[in-house]
Amino acid sequence: MAKASLKRHTMWVAAAFVGALGIDIASKWAITTIVMLPPRTIEIAPFFNVMLSFNTGVSFGLFRDFFEDRPLLLSGVKTAIAAVILLWALRSERRIQAAALGLIAGGAAGNIVDRVRNGAVTDFLDFHLGAWRWPTFNMADVAITLGAMLLITRSVVSTDKQASRSATPS
């Protein structure tokens, strides 16, 4: 990769990482210091509430009992994973893949910062349909999901292009 291209590429990774991390930290600060004083459920739409909760487990509260007394252990594991994702992003040849991985790493970093500060991850976005509820989540989770969706989309588009190229006679 040429030096100018590497610099632009690094900027995509950095922008996605810092954007995801910044939006997550700012939204959690606003929710915990302004919006949720006092803590309550705020109905935004018939299917969406803002509701404060704290997750001491991994995704969807899994392994909560194990990690509740060991938040730094989970933070250490997640930090190692985020570092590997950042290295992958910096070595990626495609800008969209680099940005997607930057979003994933930035979202992970937001949740790591929260867990180190508070011993748990602050969640506040609550979607539901009748009695069915999706686990409450935050903007870091949104960044991780968007990054994963971009990776999947990029993979499918690349596969489609490769398939059509190999099917075309030379």
Side-chain angles (χ1 to χ4, degrees):
M1 195 180 308
K3 191 173 183 177
S5 177
L6 178 62
K7 186 175 180 180
R8 276 193 311 273
H9 187 78
T10 303
M11 293 300 292
W12 278 92
V13 174
F17 180 87
V18 171
L21 179 61
I23 289 169
D24 182 61
I25 289 173
S27 65
K28 288 174 181 171
W29 175 83
I31 289 293
T32 57
T33 61
I34 300 168
V35 177
M36 285 292 153
L37 289 178
R40 60 198 182 281
T41 299
I42 302 170
E43 186 177 331
I44 305 295
F47 57 87
F48 174 60
N49 299 328
V50 173
M51 181 177 79
L52 188 61
S53 68
F54 298 94
N55 181 1
T56 56
V58 247
S59 299
F60 309 120
L62 295 172
F63 309 113
R64 178 174 296 161
D65 295 336
F66 181 78
F67 287 113
E68 194 162 19
D69 297 327
R70 301 171 184 91
L72 294 181
L73 173 64
L74 184 55
S75 295
V77 170
K78 288 188 171 195
T79 299
I81 292 168
V84 168
I85 291 170
L86 269 177
L87 287 173
W88 179 15
L90 291 170
R91 300 186 97 200
S92 171
E93 301 262 332
R94 308 262 183 221
R95 277 186 283 193
I96 193 77
Q97 183 180 31
L101 292 165
L103 284 171
I104 293 169
N111 282 340
I112 291 165
V113 167
D114 210 28
R115 191 173 301 279
V116 169
R117 268 200 225 157
N118 305 321
V121 173
T122 304
D123 290 323
F124 54 90
L125 301 170
D126 174 43
F127 284 88
H128 55 89
L129 185 60
W132 180 84
R133 298 194 105 68
W134 185 258
T136 308
F137 60 100
N138 58 47
M139 294 307 291
D141 301 327
V142 171
I144 292 166
T145 302
L146 286 174
M149 289 170 54
L150 282 171
L151 284 177
I152 291 167
T153 302
R154 176 71 181 112
S155 175
V156 169
V157 168
S158 291
T159 304
D160 288 348
K161 284 182 182 178
Q162 289 171 353
S164 66
R165 261 190 252 134
S166 62
T168 307
S170 307

